Amino acid sequence: MREALALAAAAARAGEVPVGAVVVQDGQVIGRGYNRPISSADPTAHAEIVAIREAATARNNYRLTDCELYVTLEPCAMCVGAMVHARLSRVVFGASDPKTGACGGIVDLPALRQWNHHGVFEGGLLAAECGEILRGFFAQRRG
C-alpha cells in the first residue's frame, strides 16, 4: 500500500485525483498505476485499470488469479468489474468512498453471488493516510 500511496502522490503532482494502485504477485509488484483520466482523455484510466493492464501485459494473460491488488481508494463499479474479470485473488483498498465506492460505499458489488469469480475484497489498510492525500488535494483545489 505504501507504493500505491507514492503513486497517488504522483497523480496529485500531475493534477489528477490522487489514487494509486499496484498489482502484486508472489511479493513482487508486476503492475503499477495512478489516476490519469484527465491527462489521457480516457474515462477508464483509473489507477486500478492502469495497474491491471500493466500486470496482464507483464504476464501475457488477462487472468491474474494468483495476484493481489492494493489501491488507495475504494474501487468504483467499473474497477470492481475489471477486478472480477481479471480474477484477482484479493483486493485491498485504503480509504472508503461514500460517493462512488462499489465495495460497500454506495453498493457492494463483490457480495453479488452471481459473479463467476469471487476474490477477497478488504478495506481500511492505511485508511487515514489514503484519505488524507485525497482531502489535502481537494482542499488545495478549492483553496
Side-chain angles (χ1 to χ4, degrees):
M1 188 63 84
R2 295 264 179 227
E3 186 158 350
L5 276 163
L7 289 164
R13 288 190 299 276
E16 301 275 3
V17 174
V19 178
V22 294
V23 175
V24 177
Q25 179 187 23
D26 298 326
Q28 299 295 320
V29 175
I30 63 166
R32 292 170 178 81
Y34 61 81
N35 268 6
R36 52 183 80 168
I38 297 167
S39 60
S40 66
D42 179 358
T44 70
H46 289 195
E48 303 96 308
I49 301 295
V50 174
I52 288 169
R53 285 178 179 155
E54 188 173 290
T57 298
R59 301 249 327 245
N60 196 33
N61 191 339
Y62 78 96
R63 291 184 175 165
L64 304 173
T65 55
D66 54 350
C67 297
E68 300 177 332
L69 184 141
Y70 295 83
V71 60
T72 58
L73 183 65
E74 179 182 350
C76 71
M78 173 185 70
C79 291
V80 169
M83 292 166 184
V84 169
H85 287 292
R87 293 168 174 78
L88 289 161
S89 64
R90 183 172 174 231
V91 174
V92 180
F93 63 89
S96 295
D97 185 350
K99 294 187 178 188
T100 64
C103 299
I106 61 169
V107 67
D108 191 1
L109 292 180
L112 293 176
R113 293 184 337 236
Q114 295 87 346
W115 288 114
N116 65 333
H117 171 76
H118 293 278
V120 174
F121 285 74
E122 304 170 309
L125 181 62
L126 301 179
E129 291 176 56
C130 293
E132 186 53 41
I133 194 168
L134 287 157
R135 281 188 292 282
F137 176 80
F138 287 113
Q140 184 178 33
R141 290 187 68 122
R142 290 185 200 108

